[in-house]
Amino acid sequence: MLLLYKAMVPGLRQACRLRSTPSRLCIQACSTNDSFQPQRPSFTFSGNNSGTGGWRVMGTLLGLGAMLAYHDHRCRAAQESPRIYTKEEVSSHTSPETGIWVTLGYEVFDVTEFVGLHPGGPSKLMLAAGGPLEPFWALYAVHNQSHVRELLAQYKIGELNPEDEVPSTLETSDPYADDPIRHRALNVNSQRPFNAEPPPELLTENYITPNPIFFTRNHLPVPNLDPDTYRLHVVGGPGGHSLSLSLDDLYKFPKHEITVTLQCAGNRRSEMTQVKEVKGLEWRTGAISTARWAGARLCDVLAQAGHQLCETEAHVCFEGLDSDPSGTTYGASIPLARAMDPEAEVLLAYEMNGQPLPRDHGFPVRVVVPGVVGARHVKWLGRVSVEPEESYSHWQRRDYKGFSPSVDWDTVDFDSAPSIQELPVQSAITEPQDGETVESGEVTIKGYAWSGGGRAVIRVDVSLDGGLTWQTAELYGEEQRPRKAWAWRLWQLQALVPAGQKELNIVCKAVDDSYNVQPDTVAPIWNLRGVLSNAWHRVHVHVAS
Amino acid sequence: MLLLYKAMVPGLRQACRLRSTPSRLCIQACSTNDSFQPQRPSFTFSGNNSGTGGWRVMGTLLGLGAMLAYHDHRCRAAQESPRIYTKEEVSSHTSPETGIWVTLGYEVFDVTEFVGLHPGGPSKLMLAAGGPLEPFWALYAVHNQSHVRELLAQYKIGELNPEDEVPSTLETSDPYADDPIRHRALNVNSQRPFNAEPPPELLTENYITPNPIFFTRNHLPVPNLDPDTYRLHVVGGPGGHSLSLSLDDLYKFPKHEITVTLQCAGNRRSEMTQVKEVKGLEWRTGAISTARWAGARLCDVLAQAGHQLCETEAHVCFEGLDSDPSGTTYGASIPLARAMDPEAEVLLAYEMNGQPLPRDHGFPVRVVVPGVVGARHVKWLGRVSVEPEESYSHWQRRDYKGFSPSVDWDTVDFDSAPSIQELPVQSAITEPQDGETVESGEVTIKGYAWSGGGRAVIRVDVSLDGGLTWQTAELYGEEQRPRKAWAWRLWQLQALVPAGQKELNIVCKAVDDSYNVQPDTVAPIWNLRGVLSNAWHRVHVHVAS
């Protein structure tokens, strides 16, 4: 149903673009049909004239005319005195047949058209069908922005009866009320769910990022799990048996400890936003951190459950114990070949820098997949299974993928791109910062560099003149094991500021041991989700005279 | 000795730069010392006052004065009537102590200063010490270029006795006389050794490159090996025993067949040359080809010789049976971990596209290392051993490495960079070609894309406007196995030529499944050997009006 729906929406969407041009054009376009009762558009399509279920088929009544008429009603509804609905009326609009309505405060919206375009996926928006958005916006606070409210305003069809009781604020029954207290040094990109990064100058202060300032990327409220009753469910393999592992059971597997850098796919997204708007949190350079992780190797646990590597493609699916009001949990998967490879060192980690995992980082158990995008390192791990297909989670299939700059939300086909696993080579400057003033004479430039898939960083080139000439930085940090360089290098360059220079355009770029390099500029790698932002990092500084 | 020597040379080299400004400056700088007998400069250095062996230590006699005096003699020698030497005199100058002399035709050169700067390595040049360059230039025909002759001219100290017999031409005793006959379609970059690439339009005509036009990269003459007496020597591991394998012995190992793309590190070097001169063959886009290879897996052969994976780093060294006049064979190595990994599918190949290997491609046995630079796929394989260090071959340690654009031949430290193994993501346009005129209406754009390390190409973006807007090409070819995508994808785009457009700046760039991308431009990845040239490929075409 939703597929059909999605295929139909782009046309409507085109028509609805008119709405962003304000009232005059909108009113001019309105027809003589004065009924405010929203009337569903009806479509016909070849190969289905049955008229049963889904969209009603209305043959020749169909067409752009109907679409425009429908659009016109809505234009007027938004312009003139609002139509009043009861909560009961709203609650009966929960399907494409009836129309899909939602409320926010006292306002009522018909989002039928928008469902297929919802960046979080249609199913997420359908959870709110027939009722208030507040509980969901409280969960996904990314909605609470002016451009989202403007978008929503286009779908307004009326208001609730003022005598009806409505959620007073977004704070009602805050699902995040039990989230842990965080370190004040973190730069917060979103409170609900909590997403925050360390400030650049702290980020490269230590090779190992201290737990309290390790970047945090949560998708949902932080569950509060009891370590005594915690169980990890591992679905058994063919001829094996399922496991229900307590923490003590996990501790009995050989303890494996490795230094691994985690990076969010959205690290440095803010630079993509400067090219063109993207959907996502405005991470700067800090959605990356490094810790010493310890736990059981996933391959050992899978082997105990009777799994082995098979010739056919298979995936290990992880489910978190963090969930939304519908019970949907965070989920992701990695290929079985990686999970079963002892050299890939995938961990079910219960320690971070010698401490039990902090709640924000997955207490009591999270997955750590060295060399792979953060999104697969599922926190608060509840369930592990081996499946013939990737995880059906929204975050595996409808997010965390890369697209061409030419793809937008009207044309994106999430099935056309592979889920991000290994990340490309990356580096950024943490000192000095953009806009800073540096002393003349000598300048100290610092940063980090990392690459996915265990590929070691072999060189970082730094330029003071925007990329015309280059110097090579000194690399620091733990020795990189061949094929298992899971952790970043920090780097530093003491550079002479050319005499008389009033400003510097400092640039860095890293090279990994496959000799992959970072692209020069952001625009050609721009993508609608703002992921994989790994162009040369550039900061512009003034020189004190 | 050579290390010390090399450390001293840059200063001299600075002084000698004067020579490129012609005679006037040179003569002005000449001193009153009229002796043409070259006088060796003497250096002192802290920590060694013994005065024995190597450079003679002359205490306070040392210094720039001595260097300049020495330089001055040489200036004069080059300007005035030539000093005459006998062949015997030349033959006694074969060490830093005596000076290192060589001849070309009747001319005599003192290349003592240059030995440490020789791009092919000091040891290679030392083979010619005290005698004629001709046999070596015949072997390494890259020398036979005007800029090499100009460089050499700077070191001229005199001439041979006209009555002495000298090599008449470079053709004397051609070590390449027995090379195979090649297909006429190949674009030849060098005849001796033979290096050639298929023309672009043939390159992407077939997914599998036909053997006769598969790109050929030889470093030495092609050996003519008898398959009946051929033996592959495999040095035994601890507790194992060495093997001497005939072809029949090799055939007894399980036959493994895979499609693998080979690419020379120098593919697309000609684009780097346009930025700034580099040393190497002028490959265009054709130093890449794809074949179906069959043979024994290296891991099986190593296992039979008693080798197993060890915790400490180790390397599998390969020696070819192609050799130079001194008996030095081509050689290279790969890490043992890759060699022993069945999933890495390293082959000792004896078949190429269902045929015995052609002579140019390593008959009877070559190494095929999927996902790795061509230079490690050693041809005419003679010997395999496992060593604690990489191959000491020139091509492993003093070539096929990447450097920052800021590194030149005066500052390069080959030990500072890892040898190239996995290659970065690559793509190029094969149709239309640069400078061509295309019809208005629609244009067909074709090319190839590939990435190293088994990473699959997931997308090729094509632009008609130099990279401002992008379209996604269709990918063709064999299905890519996860982590084992050893072969290229061919791609094609049918694109509308915007009406009224007089020219197109066509660009392509590929993305692999680690989401690494090609860099936008060549200059920031320029390196002195012109390797790893994988910037966006650009062709400029005219549109027929």
Side-chain angles (χ1 to χ4, degrees), chain A residues 389-409:
Chain A
E389 303 253 7
E390 281 193 306
S391 166
Y392 278 87
S393 148
H394 165 78
W395 296 279
Q396 187 79 17
R397 300 206 167 213
R398 293 292 173 268
D399 199 350
Y400 298 126
K401 295 186 170 192
F403 295 95
S404 154
S406 62
V407 171
D408 61 25
W409 288 102

Side-chain angles (χ1 to χ4, degrees), chain A residues 309 311 313 337-338 341 343-344 400-407 416-425 451 455 458-459 461 467 470-472 482-483 509 512-525 532 534 536, chain B residues 309 311 313 337-338 341 343-344 400-407 416-425 451 455 458-459 461 467 470-472 482-483 509 512-525 532 534 536:
Chain A
L309 206 52
E311 271 307 298
E313 206 184 327
R338 184 181 294 277
D341 182 358
E343 297 294 301
Y400 298 126
K401 295 186 170 192
F403 295 95
S404 154
S406 62
V407 171
S416 70
S419 60
I420 302 171
Q421 296 280 345
E422 294 184 0
L423 285 171
V425 60
S451 189
R455 292 179 283 280
I458 61 165
R459 201 180 77 232
D461 296 330
W470 299 92
Q471 300 174 62
T472 300
R483 299 174 108 191
K509 64 180 173 82
D512 72 17
D513 63 10
S514 69
Y515 281 99
N516 271 302
V517 297
Q518 299 177 242
D520 311 20
T521 59
V522 184
I525 57 165
L532 304 157
N534 75 327
W536 298 355
Chain B
L309 205 52
E311 272 306 298
E313 206 185 328
R338 183 181 295 275
D341 182 359
E343 297 295 301
Y400 298 125
K401 296 186 168 191
F403 295 95
S404 154
S406 62
V407 171
S416 70
S419 60
I420 302 171
Q421 296 281 346
E422 294 184 2
L423 285 171
V425 60
S451 190
R455 292 179 283 281
I458 61 165
R459 201 179 77 231
D461 296 330
W470 299 92
Q471 301 174 61
T472 300
R483 299 173 110 189
K509 64 179 172 83
D512 72 17
D513 63 10
S514 70
Y515 281 98
N516 270 303
V517 297
Q518 299 176 242
D520 312 20
T521 59
V522 184
I525 56 165
L532 305 157
N534 75 326
W536 298 355

Side-chain angles (χ1 to χ4, degrees), chain B residues 136-143 174-176 179 182 188-196 216-222 281 283 322 360 380 395:
Chain B
F136 300 90
W137 282 29
L139 199 66
Y140 303 107
V142 66
H143 292 88
D174 180 0
Y176 294 94
D179 264 21
R182 279 88 180 200
V188 178
N189 294 318
S190 142
Q191 281 288 358
R192 295 178 179 81
F194 187 74
N195 288 285
T216 302
R217 199 311 176 218
N218 293 344
H219 295 83
L220 293 161
V222 176
L281 297 161
W283 297 106
D322 47 339
D360 259 335
W380 313 290
W395 296 278

Side-chain angles (χ1 to χ4, degrees), chain B residues 132-436:
Chain B
L133 287 171
E134 279 83 349
F136 300 90
W137 282 29
L139 199 66
Y140 303 107
V142 66
H143 292 88
N144 210 1
Q145 297 181 56
S146 60
H147 75 270
V148 181
R149 287 181 179 271
E150 279 163 27
L151 188 89
L152 188 64
Q154 300 172 14
Y155 298 96
K156 181 170 175 181
I157 53 170
E159 294 189 356
L160 283 176
N161 187 337
E163 287 160 23
D164 272 14
E165 197 187 323
V166 300
S168 58
T169 72
L170 287 178
E171 301 306 315
T172 311
S173 76
D174 180 0
Y176 294 94
D178 194 30
D179 264 21
I181 293 166
R182 279 88 180 200
H183 197 284
R184 291 179 57 184
L186 288 168
N187 290 334
V188 178
N189 294 318
S190 142
Q191 281 288 358
R192 295 178 179 81
F194 187 74
N195 288 285
E197 61 189 300
E201 65 276 16
L202 285 186
L203 183 59
T204 49
E205 193 67 23
N206 297 287
Y207 183 73
I208 298 293
T209 317
N211 288 354
I213 63 160
F214 198 100
F215 90 94
T216 302
R217 199 311 176 218
N218 293 344
H219 295 83
L220 293 161
V222 176
N224 205 339
L225 302 172
D226 176 355
D228 294 330
T229 59
Y230 169 81
R231 294 293 179 274
L232 172 61
H233 187 67
V234 183
V235 179
H241 57 283
S242 295
L243 309 175
S244 178
L245 300 172
S246 68
L247 272 180
D248 280 338
D249 294 334
L250 261 185
Y251 297 154
K252 286 175 196 150
F253 286 88
K255 184 175 177 178
H256 196 76
E257 190 166 3
I258 42 174
T259 308
V260 177
T261 295
L262 263 66
Q263 184 184 208
C264 178
N267 191 30
R268 300 181 57 200
R269 178 180 284 131
S270 56
E271 293 160 62
M272 281 199 175
T273 310
Q274 285 166 30
V275 172
K276 198 168 78 174
E277 198 189 350
V278 299
K279 288 205 198 308
L281 297 161
E282 283 290 289
W283 297 106
R284 297 180 64 218
T285 53
I288 184 169
S289 300
T290 299
R292 190 98 184 129
W293 305 91
R297 289 196 307 189
L298 176 60
C299 59
D300 294 338
V301 174
L302 287 175
Q304 183 158 321
H307 292 285
Q308 50 196 11
L309 205 52
C310 50
E311 272 306 298
T312 53
E313 206 185 328
H315 303 265
V316 179
C317 298
F318 307 115
E319 276 181 29
L321 293 165
D322 47 339
S323 64
D324 69 14
S326 73
T328 303
T329 57
Y330 185 80
S333 63
I334 62 171
L336 180 63
R338 183 181 295 275
M340 292 299 288
D341 182 359
E343 297 295 301
E345 302 186 286
V346 182
L347 294 189
L348 303 181
Y350 44 73
E351 272 183 24
M352 180 178 181
N353 296 328
Q355 302 292 320
L357 296 186
R359 280 186 62 210
D360 259 335
H361 299 290
F363 180 83
V365 177
R366 80 175 300 172
V367 189
V368 170
V369 195
V372 161
V373 64
R376 313 301 167 215
H377 301 230
V378 176
K379 300 196 272 194
W380 313 290
L381 186 66
R383 189 174 189 272
V384 177
S385 64
V386 178
E387 311 286 351
E389 303 253 7
E390 281 193 305
S391 166
Y392 278 87
S393 148
H394 165 77
W395 296 278
Q396 187 79 18
R397 300 206 166 212
R398 292 291 173 268
D399 199 348
Y400 298 125
K401 296 186 168 191
F403 295 95
S404 154
S406 62
V407 171
D408 61 26
W409 288 102
D410 289 341
T411 58
V412 65
D413 171 11
F414 271 97
D415 293 328
S416 70
S419 60
I420 302 171
Q421 296 281 346
E422 294 184 2
L423 285 171
V425 60
Q426 173 71 287
S427 73
I429 298 159
T430 54
E431 263 185 65
Q433 290 172 47
D434 199 49
E436 229 177 76

Side-chain angles (χ1 to χ4, degrees), chain A residues 79-97:
Chain A
Q79 300 302 322
E80 302 175 8
S81 67
R83 164 96 187 197
I84 301 300
Y85 299 101
T86 64
K87 284 167 83 173
E88 287 64 38
E89 277 177 287
V90 172
S91 71
S92 68
H93 289 81
T94 58
S95 70
E97 292 79 12

